[in-house]
């Protein structure tokens, strides 16, 4: 009987531990996600948090190859997406470099002593947009024929031009 | 012909450590230069978007060619059965691998992303001659080590010749491959010729032998080991032949280039209007690198004088650098001919406006990186000969050339 | 035009949020309108206003059903105009490049990246002057791809030749091989790259026919747009494989050529009038 009691209480203690650990993990996640970043307002990351912790690099890498080589841009595992959602903002409204030592990527990577190589080439704050302002302006109406027809292109009548070919 | 005894290099300790110290300093400076370039980016070099390969590549190509050429002596000894050269086989193998390591190190450290060496090894594009060369270089190292073993180990005897033949073939492939890195660049007029491959093979013979001779004379003199005049004379004659060969191929190369009328401008630019490149061509490559050494080598008196011999070897090497400067850098500086029959009068990217060549001036970090590679090669050699038995005790004529007929030497009968 | 540097970028993808997701009925036009307006106006709490994406991000692998190309009518290219060059620089963040400290302007000019440049030529016999933009010619048989030791230089299925900066080791062999001097090596540390154009020290890059516009479903390049906007209409972008495309029709009717046609590279960029 006594043995049974001990067993039950051991199980109970175990359960409490598990619960406590989960709470701690959740609190942890709160701490890493920067207040004021868009992520802080979201219920969840693109995948389950613990999965992301362990596997974000695999996801990013996979996405990287499919984007660079196959032009796929629709998936949710893009680095630009990570930066956009997790970047935090200074009181002055300036985006803070996400790989800074106290920022989302930088802090964790400094803690785990893993170099983060991404930002040698990738923007560490959202900058410039996925499409340029020029592209948005010119293609606001993607269906309109803003571009010249072949007839226009080769026509002898100058368009509403500021000038024709020079040097003649 | 006596049995050849090999022994470690017993140069006096203080001098040896002094030598190592100097070499280590050169290597260290090279390392610092590489760090500097890697940290800041290549803007600290003179290389640009027009001249993309500069001084480091000259040094690297020089060392890689010399590596192949240095092994040539071992090949002559074993494959062609010239007994007189056999005692030099071990040194020749050591030098070959040391020079190759030095050259490759320069190439790697000059990469924009040296940290991605692993990528270079794991991602392969089999259509790239450059990638093929990575195989050729690593294979070369393995073969040279096997070759050294076969020459040094008692069990190795039966393998010397087959490995030697294999090494020779591999070596020719390696040099031709290095030449082809340039030779298959259809974009660049000066390179667009398969001719560069054989040219590089002969160049490698000359430069490798010159370096070998310098190392041989230095190590032997420091310790008072005898080096026979006849043997030295033979090596010098060999060097003369190779230098003359390079000169001959140079003439042919430019003649074939002029023959195609579209390259007339290129040739006249290199020969007359190229400024530093014309100077390098005539003064460096032709005069100091070919004619003067040939004069010394075939001069009855000077060819006997140790100092003149050293000068001749050094000139061959410097001349080689000059020729690579013309071949590698000059060919990039000369504008790409995109619009035949037209003159470019304005360009946003230096497309050779009015035929003007791109400018390139090496900077100190580049030169230090190159010298560092040379330092690495020499350091490996210096350590190698000190700790292992690479050097024959004696190369006195009486010991190596008894009957002047190498193929009749007794120990060759067994191989 | 200044690059947007706000932390909130409506044109960026963000995690799906069903409550905020624009419904399928919403037209792309409205979408883009919101995005463009928001670009100028957003402040921190406006995160929630983020549209999921702009344009029409590609979900399927690019295929060889298209081959993108350009046709340049040099007769229409205006002397002294550099609208295409500026547009390219802004599109790709090249206007953010800065001369390095202690470096002469002249030296920097030879080392900074140039994807698109203007060239002015004169015929040696007739004296006729032509202007044209030069960029990567998107060769069908690209020498740069052949020589690249790691395969970092590659040709996408739709004919765009580009560099995978993740595998480029910076050997510059491709630059040696390119007959058009189309490629640039990044000689300096880059810190202010744009989200849509990652670029960094030690890799090689070149014109990629505005690949991010391709993948967002837009049908022109920055250079062509800029040229058209000025009314010069010297650059035509389009699908070389679609016989009905404007570029195919123009190529059928007007004489054009490849630069260095002797090399048989079947370039995707063609020139008329030189
Ligand atoms: S133009 Fe040059 S960079 Fe572009 S595909 Fe051709 S070889 Fe490659
Ligand atoms: S520089 Fe990069 S893209 Fe060019 S050949 Fe080397 S690895 Fe390939």
């Amino acid at each position: 009987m006594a043995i049974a009691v001990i067993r039950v209480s051991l199980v109970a203690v175990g359960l409490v531990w598990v619960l406590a650990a989960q709470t701690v993990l959740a609190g942890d996640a709160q701490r890493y996600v920067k207040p004021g970043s868009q992520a802080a307002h979201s219920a969840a990351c693109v995948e389950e948090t613990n999965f992301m912790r362990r596997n974000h690099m695999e996801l990013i890498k996979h996405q990287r190859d499919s984007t660079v080589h196959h032009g796929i841009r629709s998936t949710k595992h893009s680095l630009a997406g990570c930066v956009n959602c997790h970047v935090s903002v200074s009181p002055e409204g300036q985006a803070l470099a996400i790989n800074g030592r106290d920022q989302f990527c930088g802090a964790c990577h400094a803690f785990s002593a893993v170099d983060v190589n991404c930002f040698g080439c990738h923007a560490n704050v959202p900058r410039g947009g996925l499409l340029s302002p020029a592209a948005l302006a010119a293609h606001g109406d993607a269906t309109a024929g803003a571009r010249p027809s072949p007839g226009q292109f080769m026509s002898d009548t100058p368009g509403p031009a500021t000038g024709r070919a020079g040097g003649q | 012909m006596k049995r050849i005894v090999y022994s470690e290099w017993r140069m006096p300790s203080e001098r040896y450590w002094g030598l190592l110290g100097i070499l280590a300093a050169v290597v260290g400076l090279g390392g610092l230069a590489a760090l500097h370039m890697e940290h800041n980016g290549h803007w600290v070099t003179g290389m640009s978007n027009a001249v993309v390969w500069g001084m480091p590549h000259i040094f690297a190509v020089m060392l890689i060619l010399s590596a192949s050429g240095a092994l040539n002596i071992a090949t002559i000894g074993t494959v062609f059965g010239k007994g007189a050269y056999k005692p030099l086989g071990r040194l020749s193998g050591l030098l070959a691998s040391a020079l190759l390591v030095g050259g490759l190190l320069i190439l790697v450290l000059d990469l924009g992303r040296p940290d991605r060496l692993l990528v270079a090894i794991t991602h392969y594009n089999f259509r790239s001659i450059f990638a093929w060369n990575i195989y050729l270089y690593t294979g070369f190292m393995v073969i040279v080590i096997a070759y050294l073993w076969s020459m040094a180990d008692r069990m190795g005897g039966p393998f010397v010749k087959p490995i030697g033949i294999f090494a020779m073939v591999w070596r020719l492939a390696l040099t031709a491959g290095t030449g082809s890195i340039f030779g298959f660049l259809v974009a660049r007029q000066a390179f667009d010729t398969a001719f560069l491959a054989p040219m590089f093979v002969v160049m490698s013979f000359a430069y490798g032998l010159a370096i070998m001779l310098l190392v041989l004379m230095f190590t032997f003199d420091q310790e008072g080991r005898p080096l026979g005049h006849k043997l030295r004379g033979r090596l010098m004659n060999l060097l003369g032949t190779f230098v003359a060969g390079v000169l001959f191929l140079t003439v042919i190369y430019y003649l074939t280039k002029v023959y195609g009328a579209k390259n007339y401008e290129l040739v006249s630019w290199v020969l007359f209007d190229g400024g530093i490149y014309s100077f390098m061509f005539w003064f460096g490559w032709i005069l100091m690198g070919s004619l003067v050494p040939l004069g010394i080598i075939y001069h009855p008196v000077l060819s006997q004088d140790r100092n003149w011999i050293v000068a001749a070897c050094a000139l061959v090497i410097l001349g080689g650098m000059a020729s690579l400067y013309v071949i590698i850098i000059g060919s990039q500086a000369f504008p790409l001919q995109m619009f035949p029959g037209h003159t470019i009068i304005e360009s946003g990217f230096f497309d050779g406006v009015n035929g003007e060549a791109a400018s390139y001036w090496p900077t100190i970090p580049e030169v230090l990186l190159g010298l560092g590679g040379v330092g690495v090669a020499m350091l490996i050699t210096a350590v190698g000969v000190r700790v292992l038995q690479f050097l024959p005790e004696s190369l006195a004529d009486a010991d190596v050339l008894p009957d002047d007929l190498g193929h009749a030497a007794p120990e060759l009968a067994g191989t | 035009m200044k690059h947007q540097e706000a932390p909130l970028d409506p044109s960026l993808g963000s995690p799906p949020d069903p409550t905020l997701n624009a419904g399928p009925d919403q037209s792309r036009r409205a979408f883009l309108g919101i995005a463009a307006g928001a670009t100028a106006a957003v402040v921190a709490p406006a995160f929630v206003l983020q549209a999921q994406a702009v344009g029409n991000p590609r979900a399927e692998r690019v295929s060889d059903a298209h081959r993108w190309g350009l046709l340049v009518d040099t007769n229409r290219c205006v002397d002294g105009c550099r609208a295409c060059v500026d547009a390219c620089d802004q599109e790709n963040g090249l206007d953010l490049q800065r001369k390095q400290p202690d470096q002469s302007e002249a030296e920097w000019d030879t080392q900074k990246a140039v994807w698109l440049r203007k060239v002015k030529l004169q015929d040696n016999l007739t004296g006729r002057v032509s202007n044209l933009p030069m960029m990567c010619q998107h060769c069908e048989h690209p020498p740069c791809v052949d020589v690249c030791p790691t395969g970092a230089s590659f040709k996408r299925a739709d004919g765009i030749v580009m560099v995978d900066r993740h595998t480029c080791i910076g050997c510059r062999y491709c630059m040696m091989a390119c007959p058009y001097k189309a490629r640039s090596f990044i000689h300096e540390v880059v810190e202010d790259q744009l989200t849509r154009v990652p670029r960094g020290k030690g890799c090689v890059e070149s014109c990629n026919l505005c690949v991010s516009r391709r993948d967002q479903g837009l049908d022109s390049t920055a250079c062509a747009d800029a040229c058209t906007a000025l009314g010069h209409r010297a650059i035509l972008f389009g699908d070389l494989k679609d016989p009905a495309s404007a570029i195919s029709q123009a190529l059928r009717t007007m004489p054009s050529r490849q630069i260095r046609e002797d090399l048989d590279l079947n370039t995707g960029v063609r020139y008329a009038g030189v």
Side-chain angles (χ1 to χ4, degrees):
Chain A
M1 184 63 197
I3 291 174
V5 169
I6 291 173
R7 260 202 203 135
V8 168
S9 47
L10 270 181
V11 169
V13 168
L15 280 174
V16 169
W17 264 111
V18 169
L19 276 175
Q22 297 244 312
T23 325
V24 168
L25 277 178
D28 231 26
Q30 295 281 286
R31 251 186 293 132
Y32 285 116
V33 170
K34 290 284 156 191
S37 68
Q38 189 184 339
H41 301 271
S42 303
C45 195
V46 290
E47 304 290 345
E48 197 264 318
T49 304
N50 273 324
F51 179 83
M52 284 309 283
R53 282 210 183 140
R54 287 197 191 91
N55 300 302
H56 63 283
M57 54 296 209
E58 294 304 328
L59 297 178
I60 294 171
K61 192 170 174 200
H62 185 259
Q63 165 86 56
R64 141 199 145 174
D65 291 337
S66 72
T67 301
V68 174
H69 289 267
H70 306 301
I72 294 172
R73 310 255 182 179
S74 60
T75 50
K76 54 189 179 179
H77 299 145
S78 84
L79 182 65
C82 304
V83 173
N84 194 45
C85 196
H86 281 285
V87 76
S88 62
V89 190
S90 75
E92 296 79 46
Q94 275 292 310
L96 299 168
I98 198 163
N99 56 339
R101 282 186 73 89
D102 54 349
Q103 294 301 310
F104 183 72
C105 297
C108 204
H109 274 267
F111 177 72
S112 54
V114 177
D115 254 357
V116 51
N117 238 329
C118 309
F119 302 104
C121 290
H122 286 275
N124 55 17
V125 292
R127 192 184 286 121
L130 278 193
L131 281 174
S132 61
L136 291 170
H139 299 266
D141 188 343
T143 50
R147 276 147 306 290
S149 70
Q152 271 178 305
F153 181 69
M154 48 182 290
S155 91
D156 278 332
T157 33
T162 43
R164 292 214 54 199
Q168 287 158 7
Chain B
M1 184 157 160
K2 276 206 219 143
R3 209 180 104 77
I4 304 295
V5 180
Y6 296 89
S7 64
E8 293 88 354
W9 194 32
R10 287 174 302 252
M11 181 195 198
S13 242
E14 324 78 74
R15 288 188 64 110
Y16 179 72
W17 287 108
L19 176 71
L20 281 199
I22 294 172
L23 290 176
V26 173
V27 173
L29 281 177
L32 283 179
L35 275 180
H36 178 62
M37 284 163 60
E38 156 69 355
H39 180 76
N40 291 294
H42 275 62
W43 70 269
V44 299
T45 72
M47 291 178 268
S48 65
N49 286 326
V51 177
V52 301
W53 285 355
M55 213 56 200
H57 301 82
I58 308 247
F59 275 99
V61 171
M62 183 73 194
L63 288 174
I64 291 169
L65 289 183
S66 309
S68 158
L71 197 62
N72 193 33
I73 300 301
T75 318
I76 298 178
T78 50
V79 177
F80 299 111
K82 300 282 184 216
Y85 297 122
K86 247 194 106 204
L88 291 172
R90 294 188 188 180
L91 178 63
S92 144
L94 173 68
L95 255 183
S97 42
L99 291 168
L100 189 70
V101 170
L104 292 184
L105 211 55
I106 301 177
L107 277 190
V108 167
L109 291 178
D110 175 73
L111 291 179
R113 307 285 315 227
D115 51 316
R116 292 204 181 138
L117 194 56
L118 206 64
V119 174
I121 296 165
T122 51
H123 289 66
Y124 245 82
N125 171 16
F126 284 96
R127 301 188 59 175
S128 169
I129 297 168
F130 217 53
W132 278 102
N133 272 282
I134 298 177
Y135 269 138
L136 288 171
Y137 297 150
T138 40
F140 184 80
M141 290 302 294
V142 175
I143 292 170
V144 170
I145 289 166
Y147 197 20
L148 280 174
W149 168 80
S150 74
M151 286 188 284
D153 195 281
R154 234 174 298 142
M155 313 266 294
F159 304 106
V160 174
K161 195 148 185 180
I163 298 184
I165 292 175
F166 192 51
M168 178 181 74
V169 174
W170 196 274
R171 188 164 59 74
L172 291 178
L174 178 138
T175 343
T178 308
S180 304
I181 285 183
F182 302 98
F184 283 100
L185 294 174
V186 290
R188 312 253 169 190
Q189 264 178 304
F191 293 144
D192 182 14
T193 166
F195 198 77
L196 277 174
M199 177 123 147
F200 271 32
V201 170
V202 182
M203 282 177 152
S204 84
F205 289 165
Y207 310 152
L209 182 53
I211 291 183
M212 171 100 190
L213 263 163
L214 286 180
V215 170
L216 191 65
M217 285 193 282
F218 178 76
T219 47
F220 270 51
D221 279 6
Q222 285 298 320
E223 221 193 338
R225 296 192 194 208
L227 174 59
H229 283 209
K230 263 203 197 134
L231 178 69
R232 194 180 66 189
R234 279 189 168 197
L235 289 170
M236 288 304 284
N237 274 337
L238 203 56
L239 181 63
T241 317
F242 294 151
V243 172
V246 175
L247 194 58
F248 175 68
L249 287 178
T250 309
V251 174
I252 306 250
Y253 171 71
Y254 282 102
L255 280 183
T256 54
K257 277 286 163 197
V258 189
Y259 191 71
K262 64 178 175 136
N263 293 314
Y264 181 76
E265 272 173 38
L266 168 75
V267 175
S268 73
W269 179 79
V270 169
L271 299 189
F272 308 112
D273 311 320
I276 177 76
Y277 305 102
S278 303
F279 174 79
M280 284 283 188
F281 180 82
W282 288 112
F283 185 76
W285 184 349
I286 301 296
L287 184 67
M288 300 311 270
S290 308
L291 296 179
V292 172
L294 281 176
I296 297 173
I297 290 167
Y298 293 115
H299 191 282
V301 181
L302 299 185
S303 63
Q304 301 304 316
D305 184 290
R306 180 182 178 280
N307 291 334
W308 281 101
I309 293 177
V310 170
C313 293
L315 281 176
V316 169
I317 295 165
L318 291 177
M321 298 286 288
S323 62
L324 291 176
Y325 200 91
V326 176
I327 294 177
I328 297 178
I329 297 183
S331 314
Q332 297 174 76
F334 187 73
L336 284 169
Q337 302 295 294
M338 285 184 288
F339 303 98
H342 290 74
T343 304
I344 293 181
I345 49 184
E346 262 172 45
S347 159
F349 200 37
F350 307 96
D351 290 290
V353 175
N354 297 316
E356 196 194 329
S359 81
Y360 168 78
W361 289 106
T363 57
I364 292 169
E366 287 167 82
V367 177
L368 287 181
L369 173 59
L371 289 174
V374 178
V376 167
M378 291 302 119
L379 196 65
I380 295 176
T381 314
V383 173
V385 292
R386 181 83 171 184
V387 300
L388 290 171
Q389 298 168 347
F390 278 108
L391 295 177
E393 287 273 327
S394 162
L395 285 176
D397 289 339
D399 292 334
V400 290
L401 304 166
D403 51 4
D404 227 58
L405 281 173
H407 57 263
E411 72 247 57
L412 272 171
T415 59
Chain C
M1 195 172 299
K2 284 276 323 145
H3 290 289
Q4 151 88 0
E5 236 192 269
L8 324 157
D9 204 319
S11 60
L12 270 172
S14 63
D17 187 338
T19 58
L20 305 167
N21 208 352
D25 52 333
Q26 191 166 0
S27 80
R28 191 155 110 213
R29 178 176 192 155
F31 225 171
L32 292 166
I34 289 172
T39 304
V42 276
V43 282
F47 272 128
V48 283
L49 282 181
Q50 288 213 339
Q52 185 179 347
V54 288
N56 190 6
R58 184 195 310 283
E60 245 137 56
R61 290 180 162 216
V62 279
S63 77
D64 57 5
H66 307 283
R67 182 180 177 210
W68 303 115
L70 295 168
L71 173 58
V72 174
D73 184 351
T74 60
N75 290 323
R76 303 186 66 94
C77 178
V78 176
D79 194 4
C81 171
R82 44 173 287 137
C84 54
V85 180
D86 293 337
C88 174
D89 285 357
Q90 279 164 15
E91 180 80 15
N92 298 299
L94 302 178
D95 56 336
L96 303 171
Q97 298 181 95
R98 289 290 166 266
K99 182 174 89 68
Q100 297 299 301
D102 325 319
Q103 193 186 27
S104 74
E105 205 64 64
E107 198 188 350
W108 172 236
D109 281 343
T110 68
Q111 291 182 326
K112 70 177 180 205
V114 174
W115 292 14
L116 173 59
R117 63 190 190 266
K118 280 288 297 282
V119 176
K120 184 170 168 183
L121 326 156
Q122 185 164 35
D123 190 304
N124 290 344
L125 293 179
T126 62
R128 178 170 175 268
V129 172
S130 339
N131 287 278
L132 49 89
M134 273 297 290
M135 69 293 276
C136 170
Q137 306 284 299
H138 298 280
C139 313
E140 188 192 356
H141 310 291
C144 56
V145 172
D146 281 348
V147 301
C148 175
T150 64
S153 285
F154 71 103
K155 190 176 65 166
R156 247 170 54 142
D158 57 0
I160 298 179
V161 176
M162 44 193 241
V163 177
D164 181 348
R165 296 171 202 257
H166 305 101
T167 42
C168 171
I169 54 174
C171 66
R172 285 104 79 205
Y173 196 19
C174 54
M175 300 176 73
M176 293 287 280
C178 173
Y180 307 98
K181 203 161 166 265
R183 298 202 146 190
S184 292
F185 179 65
I186 304 180
H187 287 78
E188 76 284 355
V189 177
V190 183
E191 268 159 359
D192 46 6
Q193 48 283 86
L194 301 180
T195 298
R196 63 177 173 272
V197 189
R199 53 191 300 275
K201 184 194 77 190
C203 292
V204 164
E205 59 182 5
S206 55
C207 158
N208 55 24
L209 284 178
C210 291
V211 74
S212 55
R213 290 180 174 219
R214 291 295 72 65
D215 294 343
Q216 300 291 344
L218 304 191
D219 57 354
S220 186
T221 59
C223 54
D225 277 357
C227 190
T228 305
L230 284 182
H232 299 157
R233 297 199 306 273
I235 307 177
L236 181 61
F237 169 84
D239 184 356
L240 299 170
K241 278 196 177 159
D242 173 6
S245 70
I247 191 172
S248 298
Q249 292 180 33
L251 280 168
R252 259 200 307 281
T253 46
M254 68 197 294
S256 66
R257 53 171 287 228
Q258 314 172 39
I259 297 178
R260 291 223 58 183
E261 51 227 327
D262 56 316
L263 297 176
D264 271 337
L265 303 175
N266 189 9
T267 56
V269 179
R270 300 298 176 98
Y271 291 82
V274 275

